[in-house]
Amino acid sequence: MHSPGAMTRLCPAAPALLLCSLAVLLQMSLSLDHVPMLLWSTQRSQWNPGTAVHEGQVVSAQELMVLLQPLFTQNSRNLILFLQDRLSVDDFTYFSESYGNKNPFQNVQEILQSSPSSLVLPAVDCKATRDLLSVLQESGDWKLTNLTNLNISHLEVKASNPNLLVVQLQPLSSDLEEISTLEAIAENDKIIGRVTMELQERGIHFSVIYTALRPSRISRRTDVVASVRRQLMAAEEDSLSYPPLNVTTGNDTCILFYATNFSFKANRSVLIDLTNATFLTRNVDTSASECSDSNTTLSLKYTNPVNGISSLEIRFLMTNKFYAVSARKWSTLDSVEIVQDGEKFAKFNVPGISAPAEYSFHCQLVGTSNLYPARLVPSDNEAKNWNVFISELQIQGFNIINNQFSYASDCTGFFTPGIWMGLVTSIILLWILTYGIHMIMQLTTNSRFDDPKGPALSVPQTE
């Protein structure tokens, strides 16, 4: 990265300086579209030293498949995919330098140094990582296993069959404070260390991929709430990392639901990540969902999502009403309910989540945090024991056409804090300018002047 002095030497002229500035801005915008990927294996010579990519290269989907080819041709085809929601290459230095001796990536760094073969890709196209799981499944006859409870002591790994183990790590979007992000990364590091250690103790050879769906440095460079921009989007299936969950009545789709992170925390300690079970493996029962022209209920039932919980049901209750003020129908998400083990019932009120009846609803962050644009408010004591984290929520329960989301009404308003600051500053400056012009217009000139050759000018006090 060039220093300011180097940039000045490279761009001495004004036009050249402008071009250089545009180039830097373009590079910054492109840097937001890639994530790091760490690969290591218990087998030697998986990647030779010439495999490393040059500095600044963003690995595309096609280039990534070439780099992953040794994983598909090795003798023991056991692959572990650690998938995180957000990660950037700057995280490895940022958190280590900011918090002294507290290194949240200690296990990952030690494993990379001790592994017989490893490869670090600082920048991989986000689209390639979002499609990675589906690409891996299509690349061979893998036996897919989702390690939701992270208890692999009873896991059967047959050497004759290729095994793909998917571990959805704890999301980093649960809080906007850096100390909480540090703790989440440290917890994920412990999970990676524990899983790999148990497999090594059992004498199983394996390879590991550790990556994320999107970069994380955006939220630390600018305020997350301020960066939530107006995204009136018509979400098409090819633009999603995986297809949305759909509920049908007969041949018609009556509910569409999508999220990049669908997680809950019970008793503020037990993390339940339902993203993979809901959208990838589809280990969810939606038979209790109900659809009508005025009321819709999306029911998501899970069996043994984590240790200690035998059943879990998540309900989204939506209504479609006519409002005389706007002279049109609006669909609203009235409440979210959580039923644990058929006994414990928690209910959340959902103020502010609404859209025209013909639209879908989209919001970047939805949950129980006060800092989220769309907040779930606990309405009973049981709900206070739950934390909800939903990223990139999009839901539609009425007027679905061609099994696709309609045009999306976003939860973010048109006037962001930055726009309000600009308007207030402009009003203040305009008031100062108006006052100054008014004062200048009040100035008057003398009607009589003193003649040095004549008598002194006398001005009566009454004038």
Side-chain angles (χ1 to χ4, degrees):
M1 187 173 183
H2 296 295
S3 64
M7 290 296 295
T8 304
R9 293 191 297 271
L10 290 174
C11 307
L17 181 59
L18 178 60
L19 291 176
C20 286
S21 300
L22 293 175
V24 172
L25 290 176
L26 178 60
Q27 183 178 7
M28 289 178 62
S29 63
L30 292 176
S31 66
L32 302 180
D33 296 331
H34 60 72
V35 295
M37 179 177 290
L38 310 181
L39 304 98
W40 64 86
S41 177
T42 58
Q43 299 185 14
R44 296 185 180 276
S45 303
Q46 287 286 82
W47 300 280
N48 54 55
T51 307
V53 298
H54 60 79
E55 183 179 359
Q57 177 184 355
V58 178
V59 179
S60 63
Q62 294 79 7
E63 294 171 336
L64 180 62
M65 289 306 299
V66 175
L67 296 173
L68 295 181
Q69 200 61 36
L71 303 179
F72 308 144
T73 57
Q74 62 185 2
N75 296 329
S76 179
R77 294 178 59 187
N78 296 316
L79 181 60
I80 307 174
L81 175 60
F82 291 104
L83 198 57
Q84 199 164 281
D85 65 333
R86 298 186 293 117
L87 185 66
S88 293
V89 68
D90 294 339
D91 292 336
F92 294 94
T93 56
Y94 177 84
F95 286 107
S96 299
E97 295 174 355
S98 300
Y99 298 96
N101 297 327
K102 191 175 183 180
N103 184 7
F105 295 100
Q106 181 177 355
N107 289 325
V108 172
Q109 292 180 355
E110 292 179 354
I111 292 173
L112 281 174
Q113 294 174 359
S114 60
S115 295
S117 181
S118 62
L119 177 64
V120 177
L121 304 177
V124 178
D125 190 357
C126 284
K127 190 177 186 306
T129 59
R130 287 195 296 264
D131 300 335
L132 181 60
L133 182 56
S134 59
V135 171
L136 290 176
Q137 290 179 280
E138 295 173 359
S139 63
D141 187 18
W142 299 91
K143 178 185 177 183
L144 179 63
T145 304
N146 295 283
L147 298 179
T148 55
N149 55 9
L150 300 178
N151 184 11
I152 64 173
S153 58
H154 302 291
L155 178 66
E156 296 183 1
V157 179
K158 296 182 180 179
S160 58
N161 298 327
N163 299 281
L164 176 58
L165 310 179
V166 180
V167 180
Q168 294 281 350
L169 297 175
Q170 179 175 345
L172 307 186
S173 320
S174 59
D175 206 316
L176 302 180
E177 298 180 0
E178 289 184 355
I179 189 66
S180 300
T181 303
L182 175 70
E183 294 173 352
I185 291 178
E187 183 63 27
N188 291 339
D189 182 72
K190 293 179 182 178
I191 292 174
I192 295 174
R194 184 167 70 250
V195 172
T196 54
M197 183 62 67
E198 290 189 18
L199 289 177
Q200 287 178 348
E201 291 177 353
R202 295 172 60 179
I204 300 175
H205 290 283
F206 58 89
S207 299
V208 175
I209 300 176
Y210 174 35
T211 187
L213 298 176
R214 63 184 186 274
S216 62
R217 293 301 296 174
I218 303 174
S219 61
R220 283 190 289 277
R221 284 174 179 161
T222 57
D223 181 67
V224 172
V225 178
S227 67
V228 177
R229 60 189 181 276
R230 186 75 179 178
Q231 297 180 0
L232 291 177
M233 44 174 268
E236 300 177 358
E237 284 194 16
D238 55 0
S239 66
L240 305 178
S241 56
Y242 36 73
L245 177 71
N246 64 317
V247 178
T248 59
T249 54
N251 297 326
D252 299 327
T253 299
C254 64
I255 303 175
L256 286 174
F257 176 67
Y258 175 81
T260 58
N261 176 28
F262 188 48
S263 305
F264 299 79
K265 186 176 287 187
N267 298 321
R268 303 186 182 276
S269 59
V270 181
L271 179 67
I272 309 172
D273 191 346
L274 303 175
T275 310
N276 190 44
T278 305
F279 303 104
L280 294 177
T281 60
R282 300 297 174 98
N283 294 328
V284 57
D285 181 13
T286 61
S287 59
S289 301
E290 300 177 355
C291 298
S292 68
D293 295 335
S294 58
N295 294 280
T296 295
T297 299
L298 172 61
S299 174
L300 306 173
K301 293 183 178 180
Y302 305 88
T303 303
N304 297 321
V306 293
N307 288 336
I309 298 179
S310 59
S311 66
L312 187 67
E313 182 181 5
I314 313 296
R315 300 173 188 160
F316 293 84
L317 283 74
M318 296 171 282
T319 58
N320 186 22
K321 296 181 180 179
F322 178 82
Y323 291 85
V325 176
S326 58
R328 68 179 306 168
K329 285 188 175 182
W330 288 75
S331 62
T332 59
L333 178 59
D334 298 326
S335 61
V336 175
E337 300 174 351
I338 302 176
V339 182
Q340 176 186 344
D341 299 327
E343 299 177 353
K344 298 181 179 180
F345 178 84
K347 182 178 180 180
F348 299 86
N349 295 326
V350 190
I353 294 188
S354 62
E358 300 81 9
Y359 292 177
S360 63
F361 176 81
H362 170 265
C363 194
Q364 186 178 11
L365 294 173
V366 178
T368 50
S369 173
N370 293 328
L371 299 176
Y372 286 176
R375 184 174 179 239
L376 306 183
V377 182
S379 64
D380 53 31
N381 292 329
E382 185 63 31
K384 297 178 181 178
N385 298 325
W386 289 86
N387 289 338
V388 183
F389 320 113
I390 307 177
S391 301
E392 299 296 343
L393 168 70
Q394 189 164 6
I395 190 170
Q396 185 173 358
F398 307 95
N399 303 312
I400 297 175
I401 302 175
N402 297 328
N403 298 330
Q404 292 183 347
F405 279 117
S406 301
Y407 193 78
S409 176
D410 202 272
C411 62
T412 305
F414 286 104
F415 287 92
T416 62
I419 294 177
W420 280 116
M421 287 297 296
L423 289 175
V424 172
T425 304
S426 300
I427 292 174
I428 294 175
L429 293 176
L430 182 61
W431 180 83
I432 295 175
L433 177 62
T434 304
Y435 179 77
I437 294 175
H438 175 73
M439 294 300 293
I440 292 175
M441 293 177 64
Q442 298 301 316
L443 294 177
T444 59
T445 59
N446 295 330
S447 60
R448 290 178 292 177
F449 299 92
D450 191 8
D451 186 1
K453 296 181 179 181
L457 180 64
S458 176
V459 179
Q461 295 296 327
T462 56
E463 293 188 12

